[in-house]
Amino acid sequence: MRNDEIWREVDAQRLDLAGLLDRLTPEQWEQPSLCPGWRVRDVAAHLTLGPITSWGTVLREIVRARGSFNRMVYATAVERAQRPVDQIVADLRAISGSRRPAPGTSIHEPLLDVLVHGQDIAIPLGIDRKMPVAAAVNSAKRVWSTSFPFGARRRLRGLRLVASDASWAAGDGVRVEGPISALLLVLTGRPAGLRWLGGPGLAELERSLKGES
């Protein structure tokens, strides 16, 4: 995807997710997401932070989190999630049109974030949220080509991942096949994607996602 295509898709996904959030009940906002320890409202709030976060804020929050990137991301999301839910939705709509990724990230991360975190919200709530194929391929390429924060090449060593609905494949070894949306979920460490996958390497993939040898 070209840069302008990526940003248009980011805008579309942010606005579409805001529409989904508008329809949630108060109980659904408090439900657990696919991210362990994160509620739906925490994930939604996290998605509003990237374009408005400065390097100064990142450094300050890293210090508060005692140097832990994961603790920093969680703490900032939970703090932001204290806002009323209608304000969180408004914040997500407000950053549509922004062309500013979070500090230290590339143009690819905003798309990856909204695609995967959209599923983190939708899947536990039983909501079918379609993932655009071209956008998912772009994000899968990004995850596979970088070591941080997912370490997909290391975690999934010995597996050959093949998309059944797109021209994308990665890795060497036992074959696992399925929709690119499901592959993107497992690339980012989410076992929820397993239900849509198949192939002789599926059991090994499941062990990898559980951290088993």
Side-chain angles (χ1 to χ4, degrees):
M1 297 176 71
R2 301 190 310 268
N3 285 3
D4 61 323
E5 293 174 322
I6 291 173
W7 282 122
R8 282 200 299 271
E9 191 62 59
V10 170
D11 291 343
Q13 290 296 314
R14 284 170 172 168
L15 292 174
D16 183 75
L17 183 58
L20 183 155
L21 294 171
D22 261 337
R23 300 189 294 272
L24 298 186
T25 65
E27 293 76 20
Q28 286 175 313
W29 276 94
E30 305 304 324
Q31 289 297 308
S33 74
L34 289 186
C35 304
W38 292 57
R39 300 165 298 171
V40 164
R41 69 184 301 139
D42 300 324
V43 177
H46 166 72
L47 283 171
T48 71
L49 287 169
I52 64 171
T53 301
S54 67
W55 270 113
T57 300
V58 170
L59 295 174
R60 183 177 67 249
E61 295 299 329
I62 280 284
V63 171
R64 287 179 59 189
R66 303 186 302 282
S68 169
F69 175 81
N70 288 334
R71 279 199 299 266
M72 182 270 290
V73 172
Y74 175 73
T76 55
V78 170
E79 182 176 358
R80 186 78 170 179
Q82 295 177 23
R83 297 160 77 86
V85 295
D86 58 345
Q87 185 60 58
I88 294 173
V89 177
D91 291 342
L92 186 56
R93 287 198 170 98
I95 62 171
S96 177
S98 170
R99 297 297 178 259
R100 185 170 183 263
T105 67
S106 76
I107 186 176
H108 300 284
E109 273 65 41
L111 181 57
L112 171 62
D113 276 357
V114 73
L115 290 180
V116 174
H117 286 317
Q119 299 301 319
D120 290 336
I121 291 169
I123 290 174
L125 297 179
I127 297 172
D128 183 18
R129 177 171 166 76
K130 299 298 183 185
M131 193 182 294
V133 171
V137 168
N138 185 86
S139 292
K141 289 179 178 177
R142 178 64 177 174
V143 174
W144 191 259
S145 67
T146 55
S147 58
F148 181 82
F150 301 111
R153 290 196 307 273
R154 173 186 53 78
R155 287 189 300 102
L156 305 180
R157 187 180 296 114
L159 295 170
R160 175 71 172 169
L161 308 178
V162 181
S164 58
D165 56 350
S167 297
W168 183 86
D172 296 299
V174 189
R175 186 183 180 97
V176 175
E177 184 174 3
I180 187 64
S181 57
L183 292 173
L184 182 58
L185 288 175
V186 299
L187 283 168
T188 55
R190 287 151 170 88
L194 290 168
R195 73 182 77 171
W196 295 288
L197 299 176
L202 187 60
E204 183 177 343
L205 173 60
E206 186 172 3
R207 287 193 295 270
S208 298
L209 290 175
K210 291 180 177 179
E212 300 175 2
S213 57

